[in-house]
């Protein structure tokens, strides 16, 4: 008789999407807490290309944001960083990324856990095809200071079904504040990993226009 293949559990892959302009300890903690809470096999950080919601702002080049994400996750054996979105022409949408990543794995061999802060989940109705997104992954909604988890009850049932709320130690850190601090010449130590701070310094990022 041919050998029976062993029952293969589905791989559980976390996906941490973000602009990461720059990446900070709020992002890293969210990813790590989701990794432990949902017994994930790994977390893939996916820096956005041209972020659809942020086109009006000046955003740091995808290559710099990718480099900082790599530096921030270097010491974490179960993290990797994908160039998928930064190499895609035009703007990136979560639904396109999920559709594409599904093809990296044999059919039905993987479960995706898309990790977002509560602020992002509450905006999901403004994403491209929110219902399809909800069908392609679990949506891990991590707590973030200033956002009320009760607001998730207002989301349509089809979306709510996909949400896995996750309370994490609240870190009131945002990339916006880090950029402002650098522009003002204030310290960002202990808000971002040291190599990220060194990269920002070396490349002169966020110094503001003369
Ligand atoms: P910006 O201020 O430029 O919007 P940000 O700090 O919100 O930056 P993003 O790259 O926009 O960072 O966020 C990527 C993802 O990480 C989003 O899902 C966001 O909700 C989540 N996130 C960011 N900061 C935190 C934090 N401090 N705690 C929990 N989740 C966070
Ligand atoms: Mg944000």
């Amino acid at each position: 008789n041919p050998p029976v293949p062993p029952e293969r559990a589905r791989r559980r892959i976390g996906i941490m999407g973000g602009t990461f302009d720059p990446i900070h300890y709020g992002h890293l903690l969210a990813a790590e807490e989701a990794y432990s809470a949902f017994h994930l096999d790994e977390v893939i950080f996916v820096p956005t290309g041209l972020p659809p919601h942020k086109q009006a702002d000046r955003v740091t080049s995808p290559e710099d944001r990718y480099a900082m994400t790599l530096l921030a996750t270097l010491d974490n054996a179960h993290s990797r960083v994908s160039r998928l979105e930064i190499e895609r022409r035009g703007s990136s949408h979560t639904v396109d990324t999920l559709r594409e990543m599904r093809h990296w794995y044999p059919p039905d061999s993987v479960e995706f856990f898309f990790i977002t802060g509560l602020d992002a989940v509450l905006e999901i109705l403004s994403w491209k095809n929110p219902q399809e997104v909800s069908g392609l992954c679990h949506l891990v909604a991590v707590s973030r200071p200033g956002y009320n988890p009760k607001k998730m009850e207002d989301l349509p049932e089809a979306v709510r079904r996909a949400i896995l709320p996750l309370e994490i130690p609240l870190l009131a850190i945002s990339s916006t504040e880090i950029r402002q601090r650098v522009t003002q010449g204030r310290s960002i130590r202990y808000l971002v990993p040291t190599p990220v701070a060194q990269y920002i310094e070396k490349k002169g990022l966020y110094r503001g226009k003369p």
Side-chain angles (χ1 to χ4, degrees):
N1 286 344
V4 180
E7 268 296 309
R8 274 291 253 19
R10 293 208 281 172
R11 277 182 73 74
R12 298 162 74 85
I13 309 289
I15 303 173
M16 179 81 206
T19 318
F20 304 137
D21 188 19
I23 190 162
H24 55 67
Y25 279 122
H27 301 128
L28 295 167
L29 181 69
E32 194 64 15
E33 291 283 287
Y35 172 81
S36 331
F38 301 110
H39 308 284
L40 305 182
D41 292 295
E42 64 177 340
V43 176
I44 306 178
F45 287 73
V46 187
T48 55
L50 234 197
H53 299 295
K54 295 187 177 175
Q55 269 170 21
D57 303 355
R58 252 186 51 147
V59 175
T60 309
S61 82
E63 289 303 337
D64 280 334
R65 292 183 289 108
Y66 172 74
M68 291 189 281
T69 307
L70 260 189
L71 288 170
T73 56
L74 206 55
D75 62 358
N76 188 320
H78 50 257
S79 294
R80 22 187 209 124
V81 186
S82 168
R83 296 180 56 85
L84 177 90
E85 289 197 4
I86 66 173
E87 278 179 1
R88 189 183 284 144
R89 297 226 157 260
S91 55
S92 338
H93 293 280
T94 300
V95 68
D96 303 318
T97 300
L98 288 167
R99 278 187 200 141
E100 189 162 337
M101 288 178 80
R102 235 175 8 156
H103 298 299
W104 294 359
Y105 305 88
D108 293 321
S109 69
V110 68
E111 239 175 304
F112 288 132
F113 293 72
F114 194 82
I115 305 160
T116 62
L118 193 49
D119 59 309
V121 160
L122 293 176
E123 301 232 301
I124 191 170
L125 296 182
S126 70
W127 299 9
K128 183 177 160 193
N129 303 1
Q131 310 245 347
E132 188 183 347
V133 171
S134 318
L136 287 168
C137 65
H138 305 282
L139 281 163
V140 178
V142 307
S143 46
R144 188 170 187 182
Y147 296 89
N148 182 355
K150 281 221 173 303
K151 281 260 161 62
M152 285 189 288
E153 291 165 17
D154 302 336
L155 292 171
E157 165 61 21
V159 169
R160 235 169 38 215
R161 264 203 309 262
I163 297 181
L164 300 169
L166 178 64
E167 268 190 54
I168 67 169
L170 295 177
L171 289 182
I173 307 177
S174 71
S175 300
T176 301
E177 184 181 345
I178 289 167
R179 293 192 301 272
Q180 283 169 356
R181 280 173 172 252
V182 175
T183 305
Q184 297 162 357
R186 293 163 61 209
S187 171
I188 56 169
R189 182 177 268 177
Y190 309 127
L191 298 175
V192 303
T194 303
V196 173
Q198 289 170 326
Y199 186 91
I200 291 169
E201 165 92 30
K202 181 169 182 180
K203 300 291 298 273
L205 302 181
Y206 315 124
R207 291 239 185 100
K209 282 167 264 181

